[in-house]
Amino acid sequence: MEEIEVIFYIEGLGNDKKVLESAIRQTAEGLKNEKGVKVKYVRVEDVLENEDEDILKYSGVIEAQIAGDLASLVRLTLKYSPAIVEVLRPGKLEVDSKELMKILGEISLFMGKLMQQFGGLAVYPKLDDVPVPRIGYEREEIEELIVEDRNILYRFVIEVFGENEEGIKETMAKALSLEGCRINKLVVQGQTEDGKFKGLLAAELLSTFETMFQLTGKYAPVAISIIEPEVVDITANELQNTLTDLGGFVNELVTRPVKRQIMEKKNTEFKLNP
């Protein structure tokens, strides 16, 4: 697989300067010792104090230039959750769909474990007024979307829960449309237990590379397979957006306990000082 060169910008936050400095040093050392990639440099910025913050009042940044294949860089993104990923080269790369499916499987497994611990990621506004999207496309339309719009055709299976089968199908069709997908097929199967429906939703979707990765990160599908094309081309801009999104998803989940503490503290202050 082609070598990709990136810069990770990893942000650390904390309420104790010495503890944060130690954590940042350990993270930097971990990056320097990563196997399977070339670490060009790791630069640690000074920890700064934000006087306007009471809980996470200290922040620090690590900048690291790394080169490796796509699979390795995705693993590092999931491990270190950089706030920003900048892709330096190449301007465009081609990845075999089978390799891409392996990477998507790793993302799904990793994110699924985090969601079991911290909760889900897929949140939408009320969908009542959102029109039900079209489901089903002609072969000529699919080919045009793949060739002209650089869409990917893939199958996507997730676990679903709700009041009833039809309600889940309609809600998920709207949600997937909002995510930027065109839906070729959508099937829900399962059973109702104690008044609640539980089952699987299988969808055949058309979307961009970025959307496909975002869906994998948000939903941690139990299965995902790319149908077409056999080789997926990815631009540097698409890749850096995708890796930055993945880092953001991980960060959103692992920082939830701290954010919860901040909100509880603010609510307590509000009650004590009306």
Side-chain angles (χ1 to χ4, degrees):
M1 196 179 292
E2 188 172 359
E3 185 175 81
I4 305 162
E5 193 164 339
V6 303
I7 298 178
F8 278 10
Y9 297 93
I10 303 167
E11 184 179 24
L13 299 171
N15 60 355
D16 185 301
K17 185 176 182 180
K18 290 185 177 180
V19 171
L20 180 58
E21 286 175 336
S22 176
I24 287 176
R25 283 197 300 270
Q26 290 177 17
T27 301
E29 285 302 312
L31 274 166
K32 292 175 183 177
N33 295 320
E34 284 291 344
K35 307 298 183 184
V37 294
K38 300 173 185 174
V39 181
K40 303 294 182 73
Y41 69 79
V42 177
R43 184 178 300 133
V44 178
E45 303 291 339
D46 292 337
V47 170
L48 302 176
E49 181 179 0
N50 184 352
E51 295 180 355
D52 296 329
E53 289 290 340
D54 293 328
I55 297 181
L56 301 178
K57 61 190 301 184
Y58 297 100
S59 64
V61 174
I62 300 170
E63 179 183 327
Q65 186 171 334
I66 307 164
D69 61 30
L70 180 59
S72 298
L73 294 178
V74 167
R75 290 188 197 106
L76 290 186
T77 299
L78 295 172
K79 182 176 180 179
Y80 291 100
S81 61
I84 298 172
V85 179
E86 179 183 355
V87 175
L88 302 178
R89 64 173 180 87
K92 188 175 183 179
L93 68 151
E94 295 183 341
V95 183
D96 185 90
S97 62
K98 293 180 180 178
E99 290 298 321
L100 207 51
M101 281 191 286
K102 292 178 183 177
I103 294 170
L104 291 168
E106 288 189 29
I107 293 170
S108 180
L109 182 61
F110 186 93
M111 295 302 296
K113 290 179 179 178
L114 285 185
M115 289 179 202
Q116 287 178 358
Q117 186 174 357
F118 299 110
L121 271 174
V123 179
Y124 303 96
K126 287 192 67 175
L127 300 174
D128 295 349
D129 297 330
V130 176
V132 178
R134 171 186 174 185
I135 298 177
Y137 288 81
E138 299 294 334
R139 179 60 202 172
E140 292 78 9
E141 294 175 297
I142 292 173
E143 289 179 354
E144 183 176 348
L145 287 166
I146 293 172
V147 175
E148 300 297 330
D149 296 339
R150 300 177 57 247
N151 273 208
I152 300 169
L153 179 65
Y154 55 100
R155 294 193 180 102
F156 179 84
V157 181
I158 59 173
E159 293 180 322
V160 289
F161 310 88
E163 296 296 328
N164 57 71
E165 182 177 332
E166 284 305 312
I168 290 173
K169 185 175 181 179
E170 180 177 315
T171 298
M172 284 304 304
K174 293 178 179 181
L176 291 170
S177 178
L178 285 178
E179 291 283 0
C181 297
R182 288 180 172 85
I183 306 169
N184 192 41
K185 298 176 184 177
L186 188 66
V187 178
V188 176
Q189 293 183 340
Q191 57 188 3
T192 301
E193 296 179 2
D194 300 323
K196 295 290 183 180
F197 181 86
K198 177 181 179 181
L200 295 174
L201 177 143
E204 191 171 283
L205 306 173
L206 285 146
S207 79
T208 63
F209 166 81
E210 291 179 56
T211 298
M212 181 176 67
F213 265 69
Q214 288 170 348
L215 286 181
T216 304
K218 285 182 179 181
Y219 283 98
V222 297
I224 184 167
S225 59
I226 297 173
I227 304 169
E228 295 181 74
E230 291 185 3
V231 176
V232 177
D233 65 273
I234 309 162
T235 67
N237 187 61
E238 290 169 339
L239 181 56
Q240 68 183 20
N241 290 343
T242 298
L243 294 178
T244 298
D245 284 342
L246 283 178
F249 291 162
V250 175
N251 188 62
E252 162 67 21
L253 291 176
V254 300
T255 59
R256 276 184 181 174
V258 176
K259 291 177 181 177
R260 192 175 297 116
Q261 289 177 17
I262 293 173
M263 291 306 299
E264 288 173 355
K265 186 175 188 298
K266 288 183 177 180
N267 289 337
T268 302
E269 290 174 347
F270 179 76
K271 290 175 184 177
L272 292 175
N273 301 289

